[in-house]
């Protein structure tokens, strides 16, 4: 399953569709390419995923923590405050992710990271359980309640 976005600058989606058409039938049938998965689809996508390869913005980091999905993260360089790098480091420190910097990204480094993750899958699954324990889906409500208490006192 591959979500690639729909950039008119790089034409990733169109280029990947052309590449997909060149694949042998057996590989082509197992390669789902979409520019974007909507809110009604993303749950099923994550449910099928054994691992996730992604950038490391706040939304995906939250989803990975909540679902306990092991990941290979490629932080978008030059984000304000190096946000994506810091997000990726948080998941790596928790034992849930491998980071590949964009400048080091090659087919070989990606395949190597996939192999490491798959070979140590039980380690990542253990980390996933611990990470899910750290995730608090009701955190926003808790913070709002505490603010209201402060304002009322």
């Amino acid at each position: 399953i591959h979500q690639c976005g729909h950039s008119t600058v790089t034409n990733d989606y169109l280029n990947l569709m052309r590449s997909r058409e060149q694949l042998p039938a057996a590989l082509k049938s197992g390669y789902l390419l979409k520019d974007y998965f909507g809110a009604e689809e993303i749950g099923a996508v994550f449910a099928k995923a054994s691992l996730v390869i992604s950038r490391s913005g706040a939304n995906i980091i939250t989803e990975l923590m909540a679902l306990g999905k092991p990941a290979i993260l490629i932080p978008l360089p030059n984000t304000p405050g190096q946000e994506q790098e810091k997000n990726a480091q948080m998941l790596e420190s928790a034992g849930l992710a491998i980071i590949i910097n964009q400048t080091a990204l090659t087919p070989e480094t990606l395949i190597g990271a996939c192999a490491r993750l798959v070979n140590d899958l039980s380690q990542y699954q253990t980390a996933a359980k611990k990470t899910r324990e750290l995730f608090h889906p009701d955190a926003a409500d808790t913070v709002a309640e505490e603010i209201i208490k402060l304002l009322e006192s």
Side-chain angles (χ1 to χ4, degrees), residues 65-66 90 93-94 127-137 139:
M65 287 179 67
M90 180 179 62
S93 295
K129 289 176 188 170
K130 290 179 184 174
T131 304
R132 278 194 302 265
E133 292 169 8
L134 297 173
F135 182 74
H136 301 285

Side-chain angles (χ1 to χ4, degrees), residues 18-47:
R18 287 186 199 110
S19 295
R20 182 185 179 279
E21 291 307 312
Q22 302 303 312
L23 291 172
L27 290 176
K28 189 188 320 186
S29 68
Y31 177 48
L32 173 60
L33 175 67
K34 284 194 68 168
D35 57 345
Y36 176 76
F37 289 99
E40 67 285 349
E41 302 169 296
I42 198 67
V45 170
F46 276 127

Side-chain angles (χ1 to χ4, degrees), residues 3-152:
Q3 176 180 297
C4 66
H6 194 73
S7 170
T8 56
V9 175
T10 60
N11 291 317
D12 291 338
Y13 182 73
L14 294 175
N15 291 333
L16 287 165
M17 282 300 287
R18 287 186 199 110
S19 295
R20 182 185 179 279
E21 291 307 312
Q22 302 303 312
L23 291 172
L27 290 176
K28 189 188 320 186
S29 68
Y31 177 48
L32 173 60
L33 175 67
K34 284 194 68 168
D35 57 345
Y36 176 76
F37 289 99
E40 67 285 349
E41 302 169 296
I42 198 67
V45 170
F46 276 127
K48 289 183 182 224
S50 300
L51 69 94
V52 174
I53 302 170
S54 178
R55 294 296 191 176
S56 50
N59 288 339
I60 188 67
I61 295 298
T62 303
E63 290 163 341
L64 293 172
M65 287 179 67
L67 299 171
K69 292 289 181 178
I72 297 168
L73 299 173
I74 306 158
L76 187 63
N78 305 316
T79 54
Q82 297 297 9
E83 167 211 356
Q84 290 213 2
E85 183 67 33
K86 291 174 185 174
N87 291 342
Q89 288 169 351
M90 180 179 62
L91 251 60
E92 183 181 55
S93 295
L96 195 59
I98 295 171
I99 299 173
I100 303 175
N101 290 319
Q102 184 168 306
T103 55
L105 183 61
T106 65
E108 293 78 19
T109 58
L110 183 58
I111 290 168
C114 288
R116 281 196 340 255
L117 199 146
V118 170
N119 289 335
D120 293 333
L121 196 54
S122 63
Q123 171 191 336
Y124 287 95
Q125 289 168 334
T126 300
K129 289 176 188 170
K130 290 179 184 174
T131 304
R132 278 194 302 265
E133 292 169 8
L134 297 173
F135 182 74
H136 301 285
D138 60 342
D141 292 335
T142 303
V143 170
E145 289 169 11
E146 291 302 315
I147 291 171
I148 291 169
K149 285 180 192 175
L150 280 170
L151 292 172
E152 290 175 341

